[in-house]
């Protein structure tokens, strides 16, 4: 659901690309390997083209990693089939293309075009699960009981054919009208069960609206949108698969997990202390995730509480292991062991984690080229995660500064999302302030002054500098 959008003028993102040293094209050898792989696509021996898979992605996406088909099981429960693009079948170990994907780590998204992990002949062509074409995939078949608990997992390389490319907005409209396509008609039902199981075990989801910059004719739109329910249901299928993958790797004592420490008790206590002043009811027997799930993020006090809850989600990392299971294998936000395996077109780690799962599930040794890669992946993914975050954040900050550059001195309505912690005696003192979210345009920025957390205020724009990508307000 789009909450707010405002037109911004022409913006040049070239300086941001140069600042982040983003590559402009693929080396000739890597491109050649990709083109050759696209011209002779793999044909897995198992044929699942009779299963009517569909994809659900943003409307403009063409790098389609996942396709799904959902059905009821005879006797009760559900069968989730999740087809993931078989990228490893297109990329030769030790080749120029593999080396280039290690340099990139993941796809970087910018408003004026993305920097793909793989050449477009693969990522938006022969390896993408585009509709009406046969594609090599890794198919996860996960059987669930009536409450959404996993009872069986199967994994295989197979040929699949997507029947339709669906998008979140259209799928949500179809769900609201009670006309979801048959392959995903059960998605709300299964999604609700998986969400409930997650909240019961202590999972935490932060439903913060996302800022984005989109093309609009000769200019750009600065957009603030919250996730639609069907997007959350879709994410639950990916989480389900990632947890199944983690279980396989932990049982086999080798793999690559996405880990994060559980929220520290003192952080939970600080959040609980912030609940009452912000008008948030926190029952004694409820966990943070259950409290957050009942809030409306569009309300200023709820948004401030959710912003405070982000402090619970610190320390995410990739953890490789071989022979010895990590002391802390879980992801605190998922409240379970979890691995990235569902986006190999866009994320390097998924390719190798998937190969570990395929080998272990089949009772085969993990290939040497995969085993050798595992200990090197955490550093590569951490580095490129920082680049991806800097690209996303920098694009929004630039758009905000351009949008407001001619409005310095004006006042705006805003909600206070965060307030600086008081100085602890060890840090350098700075003027009091915090973070505010404007009603319009949809800007989130630093504001100086004694700010009341979770309240509505009037703020004055002090600085909007596109060159420095900075915006600053003060309490009016």
């Amino acid at each position: 659901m789009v909450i707010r959008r405002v037109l911004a003028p022409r913006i040049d993102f070239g300086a941001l690309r140069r600042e982040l040293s983003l590559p402009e094209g693929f080396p000739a050898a890597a491109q050649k390997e990709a083109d050759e792989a696209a011209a002779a696509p793999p044909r897995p021996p198992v044929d699942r083209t009779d299963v009517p898979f569909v994809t659900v992605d943003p409307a403009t996406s063409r790098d389609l990693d996942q396709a799904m088909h959902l059905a009821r099981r005879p006797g009760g429960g559900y069968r989730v089939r999740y087809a993931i693009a078989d990228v490893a079948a297109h990329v030769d170990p030790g080749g120029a293309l593999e080396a280039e994907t290690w340099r990139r780590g993941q796809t970087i998204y910018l408003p004026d075009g993305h920097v793909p992990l793989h050449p477009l002949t693969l990522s938006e062509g022969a390896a993408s699960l585009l509709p009406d074409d046969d594609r090599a995939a890794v198919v996860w078949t996960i059987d669930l009981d009536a409450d959404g608990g996993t009872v069986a997992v199967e994994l295989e390389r197979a040929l699949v054919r997507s029947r339709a490319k669906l998008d979140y907005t259209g799928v949500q409209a179809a769900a609201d009208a009670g006309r979801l396509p048959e392959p995903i008609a059960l998605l709300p039902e299964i999604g609700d069960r998986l969400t409930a199981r997650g909240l019961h075990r202590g999972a935490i989801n932060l439903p913060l609206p996302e800022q984005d910059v989109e093309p609009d004719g000769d200019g750009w739109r600065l957009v603030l949108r919250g996730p639609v329910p069907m997007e959350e249901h879709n994410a639950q299928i990916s989480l389900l698969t990632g947890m199944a993958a983690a279980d396989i790797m932990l049982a086999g004592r080798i793999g690559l997990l996405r880990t994060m420490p559980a929220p520290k008790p003192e952080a939970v206590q600080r959040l609980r202390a912030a609940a009452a002043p912000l008008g948030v009811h926190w029952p004694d027997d409820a966990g943070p995730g259950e409290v957050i799930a009942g809030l409306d993020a569009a309300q200023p006090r709820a948004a401030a509480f959710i912003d405070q809850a982000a402090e619970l989600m610190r320390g995410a990392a990739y953890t490789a292991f071989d022979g010895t299971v990590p002391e802390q294998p879980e992801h605190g936000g998922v409240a379970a062991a979890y691995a990235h395996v569902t986006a190999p077109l866009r994320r390097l780690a998924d390719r190798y984690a998937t190969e570990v799962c395929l080998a272990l599930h089949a009772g085969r040794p993990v290939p040497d080229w995969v085993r050798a890669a595992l200990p090197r992946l955490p550093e590569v993914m951490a580095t490129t995660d920082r680049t991806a975050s800097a690209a996303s954040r920098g694009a929004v900050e630039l758009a905000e500064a351009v949008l407001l550059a001619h409005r310095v001195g004006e006042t705006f309505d805003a909600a206070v999302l965060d307030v600086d912690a008081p100085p602890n005696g060890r840090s350098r003192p700075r003027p009091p302030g915090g973070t505010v979210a404007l009603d319009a345009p949809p800007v989130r920025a630093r504001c100086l002054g004694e700010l009341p957390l979770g309240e509505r205020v009037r703020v004055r724009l002090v600085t909007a500098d596109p060159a420095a990508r900075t915006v600053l307000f003060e309490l009016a």
Side-chain angles (χ1 to χ4, degrees):
M1 176 181 63
V2 174
I3 300 176
R4 293 191 291 273
R5 63 174 67 209
V6 175
L7 184 67
R10 293 176 180 268
I11 303 175
D12 179 11
F13 296 95
L16 182 58
R17 287 173 174 270
R18 291 188 292 273
E19 178 184 316
L20 297 175
S21 301
L22 299 180
E24 295 184 0
F26 283 83
Q31 184 67 56
K32 181 174 182 289
E33 287 185 14
D35 293 344
E36 290 173 348
R43 300 284 298 188
V46 177
D47 191 323
R48 300 294 181 201
T49 56
D50 60 317
V51 180
F53 287 104
V54 297
T55 61
V56 184
D57 290 273
T60 58
S61 296
R62 287 188 56 81
D63 50 348
L64 310 182
D65 288 288
Q66 313 117 7
M68 76 172 72
H69 179 269
L70 310 174
R72 296 193 188 278
R73 293 171 58 219
Y78 310 93
R79 171 158 290 178
V80 174
R81 288 190 178 97
Y82 209 36
I84 308 301
D86 191 354
V87 175
H90 295 80
V91 180
D92 290 334
L97 178 55
E98 185 191 40
E100 180 62 16
T101 59
W102 275 81
R103 186 167 77 92
R104 295 175 179 236
Q106 61 187 284
T107 297
I108 306 296
Y109 292 93
L110 284 167
D112 61 348
H114 61 289
V115 182
L117 176 61
H118 303 89
L120 298 186
T121 50
L122 291 181
S123 62
E124 298 187 5
S128 178
L129 302 183
L130 296 164
D132 302 321
D133 285 317
D134 292 352
R135 291 289 189 262
V138 175
V139 179
W140 293 81
T141 300
I142 305 176
D143 285 343
L144 307 176
D145 62 23
D147 293 325
T150 298
V151 295
V153 177
E154 294 294 333
L155 183 58
E156 63 185 354
R157 282 195 150 98
L159 196 68
V160 303
R161 184 186 305 141
S162 171
R163 301 301 197 270
K165 178 183 181 296
L166 307 179
D167 65 84
Y168 292 122
T169 302
V171 166
Q172 186 62 54
D176 293 341
R179 295 195 299 268
L180 277 172
E182 182 274 332
I184 57 168
L186 293 172
L187 185 55
E189 186 176 326
I190 296 174
D192 282 342
R193 281 160 173 72
L194 294 176
T195 297
R197 292 183 68 85
L199 292 176
H200 180 72
R201 67 175 182 264
I204 300 173
N205 177 44
L206 301 181
L208 287 171
E210 291 187 1
Q211 284 177 292
D212 202 2
V213 183
E214 300 177 345
D216 190 314
D218 291 336
W220 301 89
R221 290 191 300 262
L222 181 62
V223 178
L224 184 69
R225 61 160 59 87
V228 298
M230 291 300 291
E231 191 171 353
E232 294 297 315
H233 296 325
N234 191 57
Q236 288 297 324
I237 303 299
S238 183
L239 284 171
L240 172 72
T241 308
M243 289 188 289
D247 288 344
I248 290 172
M249 290 188 282
L250 288 170
R253 309 181 72 84
I254 179 172
L256 181 72
L257 303 177
R258 185 65 166 156
T259 58
M260 189 175 75
K264 295 182 179 179
E266 55 268 31
V268 176
Q269 287 302 317
R270 285 196 298 269
L271 183 63
R272 185 182 282 273
L278 290 172
V280 173
H281 176 58
W282 191 323
D284 290 340
D285 59 348
E290 294 170 301
V291 175
I292 293 166
L295 300 179
D296 177 3
Q299 300 302 314
R301 289 190 164 198
F305 181 82
I306 294 169
D307 193 83
Q308 300 298 301
E311 292 300 316
L312 304 179
M313 312 284 277
R314 301 296 185 206
Y318 287 88
T319 300
F321 61 102
D322 188 348
T324 301
V325 172
E327 285 187 22
Q328 199 298 97
E330 294 194 350
H331 187 290
V334 181
Y338 169 69
H340 277 165
V341 293
T342 63
L345 287 173
R346 292 170 281 172
R347 206 165 43 209
L348 180 67
D350 300 44
R351 185 197 314 166
Y352 296 88
T354 295
E355 291 303 306
V356 173
C357 291
L358 282 164
L360 293 175
H361 184 73
R364 294 183 282 101
V366 173
D368 289 342
W369 61 272
V370 175
R371 186 170 240 122
L374 293 178
R376 297 188 291 131
L377 281 165
E379 182 179 354
V380 171
M381 297 309 301
T383 299
T384 56
D385 276 347
R386 289 191 292 270
T387 301
S389 296
S392 176
R393 184 176 62 252
V396 169
E397 290 171 347
L398 177 57
E400 289 177 333
V402 170
L403 183 68
L404 293 172
H406 64 292
R407 302 184 67 177
V408 172
E410 292 186 30
T411 58
F412 302 83
D413 291 317
V416 180
L417 294 183
D418 193 18
V419 175
D420 295 345
N424 58 17
R426 294 188 300 273
S427 57
R428 294 179 59 183
R430 63 173 180 170
T435 303
V436 297
L438 270 60
D439 291 348
V443 168
R444 173 179 169 142
R446 179 160 179 78
C447 180
L448 300 178
E450 297 287 350
L451 300 172
L453 183 65
E455 300 297 329
R456 299 189 59 76
V457 294
R458 291 285 290 177
V459 297
R460 182 179 295 105
L461 181 61
V462 176
T463 302
D465 183 352
R469 300 199 299 272
T470 58
V471 172
L472 179 66
F473 293 90
E474 64 181 8
L475 192 61

